[in-house]
């Protein structure tokens, strides 16, 4: 079950990452065209927090998978590089008790997303979720004057910390390859292509089937 949990978490994170980029690009285009983009904002929020949750899930499963060497370099790298997601995940999981403790000056409750659209690397957009009430703060992606480029592609800022989402996805992809290699090295496992079973049931009207034709 640990391997199943990891495989599904890797797949969900990958899909969420792909959809997030599409939603953010759609928001940027619609913003420029003065079109409504609220449904794309909802989609972006759904996927960016799914990535945070999947990263947390992978961290939990990796540390509990029997036989997986915890000192394996790729495991250690993943755990160190994704440590910040724990604070974000705990923030969003405990809104009920956490909201009263939120400081007067803070990022939006569901965070702010800053990103560089795939079709124009010269601009940066900043999505501030929820109501822009007094004390809500938001920062954008910094710009490297020496390299003439932004320092991140997609940044989520919430609970006074920031996570580079693209980097998180790269780390998840990297550790997924690491786990696959470990499985190939382990004689207890047999690599199989994932295939989800689907069953279908149907209800027939017995009374109707007995009516004379």
């Amino acid at each position: 079950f640990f391997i199943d949990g990891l495989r599904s978490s890797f797949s969900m994170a990958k899909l969420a990452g792909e959809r997030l980029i599409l939603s953010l690009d759609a928001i940027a285009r619609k913003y420029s065209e003065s079109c409504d983009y609220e449904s794309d904002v909802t989609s972006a929020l759904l996927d960016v927090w799914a990535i945070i949750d999947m990263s947390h899930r992978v961290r939990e499963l990796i540390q509990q998978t029997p036989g997986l060497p915890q000192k394996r370099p790729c495991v250690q790298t993943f755990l160190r590089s994704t440590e910040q997601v724990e604070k974000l995940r705990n923030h969003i999981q405990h809104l009920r008790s956490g909201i009263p403790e939120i400081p007067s000056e803070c990022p939006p409750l569901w965070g702010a997303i800053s990103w560089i659209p795939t079709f124009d690397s010269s601009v940066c957009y900043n999505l501030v979720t929820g109501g822009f009430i007094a004390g809500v703060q938001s920062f954008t992606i910094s710009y490297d004057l020496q390299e003439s480029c932004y320092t991140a592609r997609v940044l989520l800022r919430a609970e006074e910390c920031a996570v580079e989402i693209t980097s998180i996805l790269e780390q998840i992809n990297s550790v997924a390859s690491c786990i696959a290699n470990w499985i190939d090295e382990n004689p207890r496992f047999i690599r199989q292509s994932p295939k989800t079973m689907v069953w279908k049931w149907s209800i027939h009207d017995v009374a109707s089937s007995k009516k004379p034709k």
Side-chain angles (χ1 to χ4, degrees):
F1 286 121
F2 287 98
I3 301 301
D4 280 345
L6 285 168
R7 179 177 65 84
S8 295
S9 297
F10 293 146
S11 297
M12 286 188 279
K14 182 176 183 293
L15 178 60
E18 292 170 351
R19 296 193 316 191
L20 175 63
I21 297 301
L22 291 175
S23 295
L24 294 177
D25 275 353
I27 294 170
R29 287 192 173 95
K30 291 178 181 180
Y31 174 86
S32 300
E33 298 167 359
S34 299
C35 297
D36 180 71
Y37 46 72
E38 287 302 321
S39 62
D40 299 294
V41 169
T42 301
S43 179
L45 282 175
L46 175 65
D47 288 326
V48 78
W49 285 105
I51 292 168
I52 295 299
D53 192 62
M54 286 305 104
S55 179
H56 162 76
R57 202 72 54 207
V58 171
R59 288 172 56 87
E60 293 283 296
L61 289 169
I62 279 179
Q63 294 177 84
Q64 296 296 323
T65 300
L68 177 62
Q70 294 299 298
K71 292 185 178 180
R72 200 176 178 101
C74 59
V75 172
Q76 287 294 308
T77 299
F78 175 76
L79 293 175
R80 287 195 302 269
S81 62
T82 58
E83 191 173 1
Q84 280 284 72
V85 304
E86 293 301 315
K87 187 174 183 180
L88 289 176
R89 189 262 179 185
N90 291 336
H91 160 70
I92 218 65
Q93 286 291 318
H94 301 98
L95 289 182
R96 178 179 176 180
S97 59
I99 288 178
E101 305 299 323
I102 293 177
S104 57
E105 295 185 354
C106 63
L109 181 65
W110 283 94
I113 305 174
S114 302
W115 77 98
I116 314 303
T118 61
F119 55 85
D120 188 354
S121 61
S122 67
V123 297
C124 177
Y125 289 84
N126 196 33
L127 187 162
V128 180
T129 62
F132 205 80
I133 60 178
V136 169
Q137 298 178 340
S138 177
F139 302 92
T140 188
I141 299 173
S142 59
Y143 189 82
D144 189 325
L145 293 175
Q146 185 173 354
E147 298 294 332
S148 298
C149 65
Y150 290 98
T151 58
R153 183 177 176 187
V154 180
L155 190 72
L156 171 65
R157 187 183 299 274
E159 184 60 10
E160 300 183 349
C161 67
V163 169
E164 213 291 296
I165 296 298
T166 306
S167 176
I168 294 295
L169 290 169
E170 289 172 352
Q171 291 298 329
I172 292 176
N173 184 61
S174 177
V175 82
S177 298
C178 171
I179 298 298
N181 291 337
W182 171 69
I183 289 174
D184 289 339
E185 297 165 5
N186 197 319
R188 294 187 303 164
F189 300 114
I190 298 176
R191 177 81 79 93
Q192 294 180 336
S193 298
K195 182 175 177 59
T196 302
M197 301 294 293
V198 177
W199 286 274
K200 176 184 176 181
W201 285 267
S202 60
I203 305 299
H204 296 282
D205 189 335
V206 179
S208 297
S209 64
K210 291 183 178 180
K211 289 181 180 180
K213 297 182 179 180

